[in-house]
């Protein structure tokens, strides 16, 4: 027997078929990122380290963790312009390199679900357990980032060294996840672009870890080439992670108020990757 193609039964059949095939949206965590005023919080006479008053307010030790970071892209930034950022990072004290393939989706206003639904329609859903969804929660803008981490090692490098162009390309190509490799349904899209990519960076950032109001807070200092390309602009970012959208909302407001009270706040969104892609 065949079902009628119209009427309530057909509608029900179609709804059931849809629900079986459509996986739910990814569930993100939240990383609140607020900028701090570099002039107010760094000491230029002490190699632009965080001032003792800042360390003390966040119960931070004087020791920092260094992170050396670079991105790969073509000269015309075809990868970045498609919303992707392939990154290589060397973290002090960790062996090997951390490779990250990150896809960004802008969040319009506070409509996080719409961004997750867009990502779902492009192939990122709750069944993609190797990928992490995160809402980067800034001062005025939120961004959904979906990322996958891999690790790689290569002989000939030590300390905080990052791999040269040829080794960076081959590492990121070897470990490329299929979603990045064949993005947009184009065979080898990502890996073909990596094959002709160059390095954007490196930037050697320093992270301090402390606590504030019961939450773990990071403060990172990123020395990025300035607009003129002749000096350094220090980007200072305070951040914390949470799995809860309501904690992200209340604690980001509290932290902003605290930073404002100290004269340490800088109104603006932290767009470090964008600055690195523009200035290197
Ligand atoms: C940053 O801090 C310095 C020193 O406290 C202050 O003079 C300057 O106005 C601040 N800049 C902004 C944008 O708030
Ligand atoms: C860097 O790149 C070249 C190829 O241009 C390669 O032969 C060399 O061994 C690489 N590695 C290091 C550690 O310099």
């Amino acid at each position: 027997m065949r079902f009628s193609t119209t009427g309530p039964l057909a509608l029900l059949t179609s709804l059931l078929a849809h629900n079986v095939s459509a996986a739910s949206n990814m569930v993100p965590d939240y990383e609140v990122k607020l900028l701090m005023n570099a002039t107010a919080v760094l000491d230029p006479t002490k190699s632009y380290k965080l001032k003792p008053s800042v360390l003390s307010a966040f119960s931070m030790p004087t020791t920092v963790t260094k992170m050396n970071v670079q991105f790969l892209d073509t000269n015309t930034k075809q990868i970045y312009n498609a919303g992707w950022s392939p990154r290589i990072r060397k973290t002090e004290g960790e062996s090997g390199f951390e490779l990250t393939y990150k896809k960004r989706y802008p969040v319009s206003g506070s409509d996080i679900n719409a961004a997750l639904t867009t990502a779902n329609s492009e192939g990122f859903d709750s069944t993609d357990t190797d990928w992490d969804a995160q809402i980067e929660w800034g001062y005025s803008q939120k961004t959904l980032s979906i990322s996958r981490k891999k690790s790689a090692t290569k002989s000939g490098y030590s300390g905080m060294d990052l791999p040269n162009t040829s080794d960076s390309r081959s590492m990121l190509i070897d470990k490329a996840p299929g979603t990045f490799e064949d993005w947009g349904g184009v065979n080898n899209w990502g890996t073909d672009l990596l094959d002709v990519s160059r390095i954007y960076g490196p930037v050697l950032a320093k992270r301090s870890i402390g606590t504030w109001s019961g939450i773990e807070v990071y403060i990172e200092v990123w020395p990025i080439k300035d607009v003129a390309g002749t000096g350094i602009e220090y980007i200072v970012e305070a951040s914390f992670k949470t799995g809860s959208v309501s904690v992200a909302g209340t604690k980001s407001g509290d932290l902003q108020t605290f930073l404002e009270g100290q004269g340490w706040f800088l109104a603006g969104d932290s767009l470090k990757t964008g600055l690195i892609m523009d200035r290197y």
Side-chain angles (χ1 to χ4, degrees):
M1 163 193 147
R2 289 176 60 94
F3 293 130
S4 150
T5 54
T6 57
L9 186 55
L11 179 62
L12 181 63
T13 308
S14 147
L15 283 173
L16 284 172
H18 184 73
N19 281 341
V20 166
S21 64
S24 54
N25 286 348
M26 293 182 82
V27 177
D29 67 2
Y30 302 85
E31 184 168 21
V32 170
K33 299 178 173 195
L34 296 176
L35 288 176
M36 297 173 79
N37 177 342
T39 311
V41 300
L42 302 182
D43 185 347
T45 70
K46 300 237 166 57
S47 333
Y48 292 90
K49 289 188 170 78
L50 289 168
K51 289 180 178 171
S53 54
V54 179
L55 295 179
S56 153
F58 291 94
S59 308
M60 286 172 168
T62 50
T63 49
V64 295
T65 303
K66 292 184 190 141
M67 302 176 300
N68 209 6
V69 173
Q70 66 191 17
F71 297 89
L72 256 70
D73 209 333
T74 63
N75 275 323
T76 57
K77 297 186 264 192
Q78 285 150 287
I79 301 177
Y80 183 72
N81 291 336
W84 281 99
S85 295
R87 182 184 77 185
I88 304 180
R89 181 163 77 178
K90 178 72 182 73
T91 301
E92 188 177 20
E94 286 177 20
S95 66
F97 302 106
E98 182 187 85
L99 314 183
T100 305
Y101 303 82
K102 184 189 278 195
K103 176 74 175 82
R104 296 175 314 277
Y105 291 92
V107 173
S108 169
S110 288
D111 200 351
I112 290 168
N113 271 327
L116 289 164
T117 299
T118 303
N120 192 336
S121 75
E122 295 190 354
F124 294 112
D125 62 45
S126 58
T127 65
D128 292 302
T129 51
D130 291 332
W131 294 80
D132 292 317
Q134 183 170 70
I135 300 297
E136 298 177 5
W137 186 299
Y139 167 69
S140 69
Q141 265 174 246
K142 296 178 183 67
T143 304
L144 166 63
S145 76
I146 296 182
S147 60
R148 174 112 181 232
K149 285 186 167 53
K150 302 261 185 150
S151 54
T153 53
K154 191 91 193 171
S155 59
Y157 297 99
S158 63
M160 294 303 294
D161 287 353
L162 283 168
N164 67 20
T165 303
S166 119
D167 289 341
S168 296
R169 286 175 178 171
S170 61
M171 250 179 223
L172 282 166
I173 290 170
D174 286 351
K175 303 278 171 135
T179 317
F180 170 78
E181 180 164 13
D182 299 330
W183 185 245
V186 180
N187 263 358
N188 303 326
W189 174 86
T191 42
D192 283 352
L193 291 174
L194 283 174
D195 227 359
V196 292
S197 64
R198 69 167 177 90
I199 289 170
Y200 288 77
V203 174
L204 181 62
K206 291 176 183 168
R207 173 185 283 171
S208 298
I209 305 177
T211 53
W212 179 82
S213 185
I215 46 174
E216 186 179 62
V217 171
Y218 291 174
I219 299 182
E220 291 177 3
V221 179
W222 288 64
I224 295 178
K225 208 186 266 184
D226 66 10
V227 184
T230 51
I232 296 292
E233 178 179 348
Y234 288 88
I235 304 292
V236 186
E237 181 189 274
S239 65
F240 66 87
K241 288 182 189 161
T242 172
S244 152
V245 65
S246 66
V247 170
T250 38
K251 289 278 183 189
S252 64
D254 294 351
L255 181 58
Q256 180 179 326
T257 304
F258 174 71
L259 296 177
E260 282 168 348
Q262 300 293 317
W264 296 341
F265 186 65
L266 188 62
D269 287 299
S270 177
L271 305 163
K272 299 187 303 286
T273 305
L275 294 181
I276 294 168
M277 297 309 294
D278 280 346
R279 296 181 183 175
Y280 287 80

